[in-house]
Amino acid sequence: MADLIPPTGRVHWVGTGRSTGSGLGLVCDGASTVLWGRTVDRAESCLRRLDLLGRAEPRAFTPAALAGELAPGDVLVSMLPAGEHPALAELALAGSAHLVCSSYVSPALAAHGKRAAELGTVLLTETGLDPGIDHLLAHQLVRAARQVTGDRPASVRFGSYCGSNPAVPNDFRYRFSWAPRGVLTALLTPARLIEDGVPRTVDRAWEAVTSHTVAGETFEVYPNRDSLPFIATYGLPATWRLESFVRGTLRLDGWHEAWKPVFAELAEADEAGVTALAERLVAQHPTAEGDRDRVVMAVRLELRTDDGQPWAGEWTIDAVGDARESATSRLVSVPLAGGVLEVAAGRVPPGLHQATDDPEAVPRWLAFLAEHGITATFHGDGGA
C-alpha cells in the first residue's frame, strides 16, 4: 500500500437529487466545496433549497469538466445513481483524487480497490443510512458482545432492518422517498440470508415478509440483497455459530397486503413494464406538500455461549422529516458528510472501505452523527 495522497481540503460533490441534503452544508463548513449539477442552474437551485448559496461553487457536470478541475488529493463525492460510480472512480483514480459515496460496493467498484491502495487514494463506500449507519451500529454491537463473552463458542442471531415510510400511514402503506423504479427493482433482486443455521436464497422478497417488533411497534420486514458477505465485514468471530443473519428492509404493518396487486404485476413485468408500473404508482400515490417521511432502523445481536451465558443488544433510530428536509435525506447526507470530512482530514487510509471498522473511528463517527441530531438508542445488556 502506498502512502496516503495528502487531501487538499477541496471537495467536489456531484449530484443534486433527493439525497443531497443538509450534509452538504456540513461539508461546506469544513472544506472548500464545488457542487456539480446537470446545469449551473440545477446546482444553484439545490444550493438555494438548502440555504447554501454562496457557500459552494456551482458547476455544470460533464466528466471532462470535472476532470479539468480535479486535483491530486481532492475528494470526489458521488451522489449519482450507483451504476455511475465506477466511471467516477476511474476519473478519481486518474486524477489521484479520493472518492466517497453512500451506495453498496458493486463488483465494478470493488475492482478499483487494489489500484486505489497502490496509488494512495481512498475509495470510501457505504457511508449513508443503509448502508452506512447500520454498519457502525453493527460494529458497536459485536464489540460490546465480545467484551462480555469474549470469543467463546456461541449460538448467534443477527438482524438489521431499515426503511423509509410515511410518518402518517396511508392506505398504500408507503410513499416513494427515492427513485420509484429502484424500489421495484430491489424487490425483484434475489436475497441471501442465514436462516435456521443454513444459507437460504429468496428469489422474490415479498414472499419472505415477516412481522418484526421495534420499540413495541409492529412492522413488516423482508431480506434485501446478499447478507452473507457482511458476516466478515462485521468481524463476527469464527467461533460464533450463526442461527440467523439477515439485513433487510422495514415497512409499515399492512404493507404486504396493500401491495399484493403490485406484486402480481411485478412478477410478470419486463423492463419496460417495471418502468411503466413505477410511473403509474407515483401518479396514483403522489407526495403532498405537508407529507413527512419516517425512517426506522433496528440493528440487533443476540447470543448464548455454549456454557450458558446470554447477551443481547439492539440499536434503534426513529426519525421524522420536517418542513425543511426529509428524514431520509438527512440520514443519508449527514453520515456521508462525516465520511467526506474524515477523508478530507486524512484519517482514512488508502484503499477500499465500507464505512469504517476502525474501533477508534466508529465511536467518533457516531459522535459526529449525534452532534448533528442523529441519535441511536441502545436497548440491552450492559450498554454498548
Side-chain angles (χ1 to χ4, degrees):
M1 182 186 296
D3 291 338
L4 178 72
I5 293 177
T8 61
R10 188 164 176 81
V11 173
H12 301 265
W13 184 295
V14 183
T16 59
R18 295 184 182 187
S19 294
T20 292
S22 56
L24 177 59
L26 301 179
V27 173
C28 293
D29 289 342
S32 171
T33 306
V34 181
L35 177 63
W36 296 82
R38 291 182 186 175
T39 64
V40 171
D41 286 346
R42 289 288 290 268
E44 289 180 341
S45 177
C46 178
L47 293 172
R48 186 177 299 107
R49 169 173 62 85
L50 297 170
D51 196 23
L52 295 175
L53 276 176
R55 295 176 58 192
E57 304 169 40
R59 296 283 194 279
F61 171 72
T62 66
L66 177 57
E69 291 205 29
L70 202 59
D74 282 0
V75 180
L76 174 56
V77 183
S78 177
M79 293 298 279
L80 299 180
E84 300 184 45
H85 292 166
L88 283 183
E90 291 177 6
L91 193 153
L93 291 171
S96 297
H98 311 290
L99 176 76
V100 182
C101 67
S102 63
S103 298
Y104 284 99
V105 177
S106 65
L109 195 57
H112 294 302
K114 181 179 179 182
R115 185 176 169 211
E118 293 171 345
L119 288 174
T121 62
V122 176
L123 292 183
L124 179 59
T125 66
E126 302 186 11
T127 57
L129 167 60
D130 172 11
I133 297 175
D134 56 336
H135 292 348
L136 305 179
L137 300 180
H139 284 301
Q140 285 288 77
L141 288 173
V142 172
R143 178 194 59 81
R146 294 179 73 181
Q147 285 180 342
V148 174
T149 68
D151 292 347
R152 283 177 285 166
S155 297
V156 177
R157 300 178 64 84
F158 175 86
S160 177
Y161 297 103
C162 182
S164 176
N165 297 287
V168 178
N170 55 8
D171 291 341
F172 193 49
R173 314 305 282 177
Y174 187 73
R175 186 169 290 114
F176 292 97
S177 57
W178 64 291
R181 195 181 190 286
V183 175
L184 301 184
T185 301
L187 287 170
L188 289 167
T189 302
R192 293 179 71 217
L193 66 153
I194 290 179
E195 185 176 75
D196 297 327
V198 296
R200 177 192 174 196
T201 298
V202 174
D203 292 327
R204 294 174 173 176
W206 62 83
E207 295 175 351
V209 174
T210 59
S211 293
H212 190 73
T213 301
V214 180
E217 184 175 352
T218 299
F219 295 91
E220 295 178 349
V221 296
Y222 56 88
N224 184 19
R225 295 177 176 262
D226 186 355
S227 297
L228 272 59
F230 293 92
I231 298 169
T233 300
Y234 298 156
L236 274 65
T239 50
W240 287 6
R241 298 183 309 277
L242 293 174
E243 294 182 0
S244 64
F245 187 95
V246 59
R247 299 176 71 257
T249 301
L250 178 147
R251 295 287 178 243
L252 296 176
D253 192 32
W255 170 82
H256 185 264
E257 182 65 28
W259 274 55
K260 279 185 176 179
V262 177
F263 302 146
E265 186 169 347
L266 199 55
E268 304 297 329
D270 57 14
E271 290 290 322
V274 173
T275 299
L277 176 59
E279 293 173 351
R280 190 168 73 252
L281 289 174
V282 170
Q284 292 173 347
H285 307 281
T287 299
E289 181 67 27
D291 290 336
R292 301 288 178 257
D293 65 335
R294 178 191 180 195
V295 170
V296 176
M297 174 180 285
V299 184
R300 181 172 180 82
L301 173 68
E302 51 187 302
L303 59 87
R304 179 177 292 274
T305 63
D306 287 1
D307 56 10
Q309 182 176 13
W311 189 91
E314 181 179 45
W315 285 102
T316 61
I317 292 176
D318 193 338
V320 175
D322 55 31
R324 181 174 182 270
E325 182 178 24
S326 71
T328 305
S329 175
R330 182 163 59 88
L331 270 72
V332 170
S333 67
V334 171
L336 179 68
V340 170
L341 295 174
E342 287 279 313
V343 174
R347 289 196 287 260
V348 181
L352 178 68
H353 304 274
Q354 296 164 275
T356 183
D357 59 1
D358 180 344
E360 295 184 4
V362 169
R364 185 172 69 243
W365 286 35
L366 289 172
F368 175 88
L369 297 180
E371 180 184 351
H372 298 289
I374 299 175
T375 57
T377 301
F378 180 75
H379 319 263
D381 298 333

